[in-house]
Amino acid sequence: MSGGEAAVLAEGLSKEYGGGRKRVRALDTLDLTVRRGEVFGYLGPNGAGKSTTIRMLLDLLRPTSGTVRVLGEEPRSGGPGLRRRVGYLAGDFVIEPRQTVGEALRFLAELRGGVPPMRIEGLAERLDLDLKRKVRQLSKGNRQKVGVVQAFMHRPELLILDEPTSGLDPLLQQEFLALVREAREDGRTVFMSSHIMSEVQAVADRVAVIREGRLLTVDTVDSLREHAVRHVAVRLDEGPEEVDAEAFARTPGVRDLEVRPAADAAGGSELRCTLDGRADGLVKALARYGVAALELEEPDLEEVFFTLYNHNGGRETGGVTGHGA
Amino acid sequence: MARSVLGKTIRDGRKALVAWTYGVVVVSVLYTSSYKLIGKAKGNVMAGAPQSLQKALGMQDYGSPAGYLGSTVFGIMLAMLFSAYALVTATRAVAGEEESGLLDLLLAQPVSRRKLVLQRFAAMVAVLAGFGVLVVAALLALRGPVGLGAVAASGIAAATLQLVLLGVCTGGVTLLVSAGTGKRGLSLGIGVVVVVFGYLANSFLPLIKGIGGIKHFSPFYWFDGNTPLVHGISASGCLLLAGVTVVAVVLGTVLFERRDLNV
């Protein structure tokens, strides 16, 4: 119960499904620490082991080996007492269709020992969710809102959210992210999985990336971004024939170089490349020319992610080319 | 909070429950009130049938009041209705909801798996007991007017109690599979096998020479082997039905607590 404990602590956590020859290792010796009070993004493509990890945190699955602690307690022995302190949104949120949204939420609130009706109404209003409608009549996005409300309504110490924004339209995604930020401001911890980088990028302090059941990296969003490739587009006064493309290509960190006449045919040229790491070499190389315009595109985690993949998969980052997205 | 899963289980199933209740009441009322109309006639028809067939269909004694009730209301129909309700409900209680993904949400709440299984089992028992009360009420109200006054109220109560226990036992065994494996099809399948075997082992199978004793393994025999309408409660029958139920439910709960929830 001590406040110094990590919100989530996994050590050598592994999970295998099935038996005999069909045995599948869904999670492989995962080590992970989520600190109290942080928003932690858990990224990976579908099937990477995100939901397996999360379901073990809630004692829906039991580890094959290794240990896991949630708020300092082992999920199985922590039981209902531990789950009272946690809010959970399943990746595939399913709820009994033969009831109204209000009934469903009141029942769940009752199981949790009571939630002020004002709190439920307030959340429903923010997410534009009608409490009087039958669950069966709800669209996928509206059902997801029910899931968000039930996870947040009792103000749990730890929120475990599996693909929380799936099905929510962009406006509501923003509202959801606001809820996550508020939870952090209250000192609560948020552990959220996603295969969409932008939503995690927007709120997470730190991010873990997993693939095929293995942890690739844990880092801050800022640091991941720093190590990522950037797309550079420079407009030079000189024509392509005056630009020493080879000198640029030799500059450390520069890849996928392309020099071509400027689109408006005013005589200048356009240089495009991707930049890995420090920008110093490129800036100095550019200093010899007249730089009319310079665009440096921030990478999103999507690209960071694929860069990580490719490094870890033994392939070169050359596969990730600047598509100027 | 303690009983909210129980109450919710019953409330969620209320529409289907209306249909089941209707079935139970209709079977009880129609059979009972038709005594004068068909009791004698059918008794005469059955009297001409081979002894073994009469026995297999539980119709040896169609003409007498207790014999009539025993082979109609407490014959196949209500036993099948109670059993069917129990096996459908027990299958849904864990395996059905697990396969549809509903259980994830519930078990992520501060609800223990043990409490979930036991409260859902208790909800099923409560409903079966409610069916029993309806059956007793219908019979007590109608037996005088239709000429079945010769059947003692205690006999009706005993037969109904054993009928309820038959349903509870079917539900308990089904719940063992439902909670133990989380597989809906398997749970329904084994529940049906238990009911069909139970029925056959108490009707046709004992007619085969040499395996007459097989009926002692049938829940249907435990339910009506002692002709409760005439002889009252069978302690051994009730103990067997209740004992098998307790073992099955405890085992099912333990298995459920130990396993992974299916995705």
Side-chain angles (χ1 to χ4, degrees):
Chain A
M1 278 284 230
S2 81
E5 293 265 17
V8 176
L9 179 66
E11 283 173 340
L13 189 63
S14 297
K15 181 64 193 175
E16 292 177 358
Y17 293 117
R21 240 182 271 166
K22 284 193 283 182
R23 210 154 177 76
V24 179
R25 181 160 272 225
L27 201 66
D28 199 352
T29 57
L30 177 83
D31 294 311
L32 198 65
T33 307
V34 178
R35 302 181 197 124
R36 294 233 182 191
E38 73 176 334
V39 175
F40 193 93
Y42 196 47
L43 289 178
N46 294 326
K50 301 190 299 292
S51 294
T52 297
T53 311
I54 284 176
R55 288 164 62 84
M56 282 195 281
L57 300 181
L58 287 143
D59 192 39
L60 298 171
L61 301 177
R62 272 65 186 262
T64 305
S65 61
T67 58
V68 62
R69 293 270 180 284
V70 175
L71 299 171
E73 293 187 73
E74 198 261 322
R76 188 167 179 188
S77 59
L82 172 59
R83 290 197 294 275
R84 187 163 290 130
R85 302 160 64 197
V86 176
Y88 167 57
L89 173 57
D92 179 21
F93 180 73
V94 183
I95 186 162
E96 172 61 54
R98 296 171 298 180
Q99 56 185 344
T100 66
V101 174
E103 280 166 4
L105 290 170
R106 275 194 297 278
F107 169 63
L108 294 171
E110 196 186 324
L111 288 181
R112 294 205 166 271
V115 171
M118 289 285 288
R119 169 72 176 161
I120 296 176
E121 286 157 21
L123 283 171
E125 199 169 316
R126 281 182 70 175
L127 293 169
D128 193 21
L129 174 66
D130 185 352
L131 293 174
K132 292 191 196 73
R133 288 189 62 190
K134 286 262 184 202
V135 172
R136 79 162 88 245
Q137 299 166 339
L138 299 182
S139 65
K140 166 116 178 50
N142 276 318
R143 262 204 308 278
Q144 188 72 6
K145 292 179 198 171
V146 181
V148 172
V149 173
Q150 63 82 31
F152 280 81
M153 65 183 178
H154 55 294
R155 302 183 192 275
E157 282 169 62
L158 171 64
L159 281 148
I160 299 176
L161 312 169
D162 195 356
E163 304 273 354
T165 58
S166 68
L168 292 184
D169 64 47
L171 211 62
L172 286 156
Q173 287 190 18
Q174 292 308 311
E175 195 59 46
F176 165 78
L177 294 176
L179 283 172
V180 170
R181 288 194 194 94
E182 285 166 26
R184 175 173 49 195
E185 281 159 24
D186 287 358
R188 291 180 271 140
T189 312
V190 181
F191 180 91
M192 60 185 272
S193 82
S194 183
H195 67 276
I196 304 160
M197 312 308 145
S198 55
E199 65 182 32
V200 169
Q201 193 172 355
V203 287
D205 302 304
R206 291 195 305 145
V207 172
V209 181
I210 71 161
R211 178 205 186 193
E212 289 171 6
R214 286 174 173 276
L215 187 68
L216 292 185
T217 187
V218 181
D219 213 335
T220 61
V221 172
D222 289 341
S223 162
L224 273 183
R225 207 181 274 160
E226 215 166 276
H227 290 111
V229 290
R230 260 157 261 252
H231 303 293
V232 180
V234 190
R235 171 72 190 271
L236 299 172
D237 296 333
E238 294 79 0
E241 64 286 348
E242 295 170 66
V243 175
D244 183 0
E246 283 191 14
F248 277 109
R250 282 196 302 272
T251 308
V254 171
R255 293 167 195 275
D256 307 319
L257 183 80
E258 197 185 332
V259 180
R260 61 181 178 211
D264 54 18
S269 60
E270 197 174 81
L271 179 149
R272 286 179 174 276
C273 65
T274 59
L275 179 64
D276 213 342
R278 281 168 63 81
D280 189 63
L282 178 64
V283 171
K284 285 185 173 143
L286 283 171
R288 292 171 51 203
Y289 303 96
V291 179
L294 179 119
E295 274 179 56
L296 201 62
E297 203 179 286
E298 278 287 295
D300 58 14
L301 279 174
E302 199 98 32
E303 286 166 277
V304 173
F305 199 48
F306 284 113
T307 312
L308 276 170
Y309 264 27
N310 292 336
H311 278 319
N312 285 273
R315 277 186 282 143
E316 269 304 302
T317 47
V320 182
T321 53
H323 43 66
Chain B
M1 185 210 119
R3 276 176 301 277
S4 41
V5 174
L6 190 158
K8 179 77 173 162
T9 304
I10 295 178
R11 281 203 304 283
D12 282 347
R14 62 184 181 265
K15 272 198 184 143
L17 194 55
V18 170
W20 287 105
T21 307
Y22 183 76
V24 168
V25 171
V26 164
V27 168
S28 310
V29 169
L30 281 189
Y31 267 139
T32 308
S33 50
S34 314
Y35 174 57
K36 276 190 184 142
L37 210 66
I38 60 171
K40 283 263 153 52
K42 231 177 183 177
N44 293 337
V45 171
M46 287 312 292
Q51 195 70 29
S52 57
L53 182 63
Q54 290 185 33
K55 207 175 161 193
L57 294 174
M59 292 178 169
Q60 305 99 299
D61 187 18
Y62 226 87
S64 80
Y68 176 79
L69 278 187
S71 39
T72 54
V73 180
F74 294 102
I76 301 168
M77 285 296 276
L78 279 189
M80 284 300 168
L81 265 179
F82 276 52
S83 296
Y85 174 79
L87 84 87
V88 167
T89 307
T91 294
R92 182 181 158 84
V94 179
E97 293 213 352
E98 186 171 343
E99 283 196 4
S100 64
L102 283 169
L103 225 46
D104 250 44
L105 175 64
L106 214 48
L107 290 177
Q109 310 294 322
V111 175
S112 71
R113 294 192 188 188
R114 180 182 306 177
K115 195 172 267 177
L116 178 97
V117 175
L118 295 182
Q119 290 204 12
R120 295 217 150 148
F121 175 69
M124 186 192 77
V125 173
V127 169
L128 287 170
F131 288 169
V133 169
L134 289 175
V135 171
V136 171
L139 263 58
L140 289 184
L142 294 173
R143 69 178 168 148
V146 303
L148 287 167
V151 183
S154 61
I156 291 172
T160 308
L161 172 71
Q162 290 180 195
L163 176 67
V164 169
L165 285 177
L166 171 69
V168 169
C169 184
T170 308
V173 173
T174 309
L175 192 62
L176 164 61
V177 185
S178 174
T181 68
K183 295 192 169 77
R184 193 176 159 275
L186 190 67
S187 171
L188 266 183
I190 290 187
V192 168
V193 166
V194 166
V195 172
V196 170
F197 165 81
Y199 170 67
L200 291 178
N202 188 42
S203 54
F204 292 99
L205 293 181
L207 303 177
I208 302 168
K209 276 207 172 62
I211 61 165
I214 199 167
K215 67 183 178 189
H216 293 286
F217 296 96
S218 163
F220 281 71
Y221 181 74
W222 306 339
F223 148 57
D224 75 352
N226 76 324
T227 323
L229 281 169
V230 179
H231 300 111
I233 286 174
S234 155
S236 62
C238 290
L239 279 176
L240 278 166
L241 289 168
V244 167
T245 306
V246 169
V247 170
V249 171
V250 168
L251 190 58
T253 309
V254 170
L255 289 172
F256 185 48
E257 283 182 318
R258 287 171 171 224
R259 69 180 174 86
D260 283 345
L261 212 61
N262 298 329
V263 182

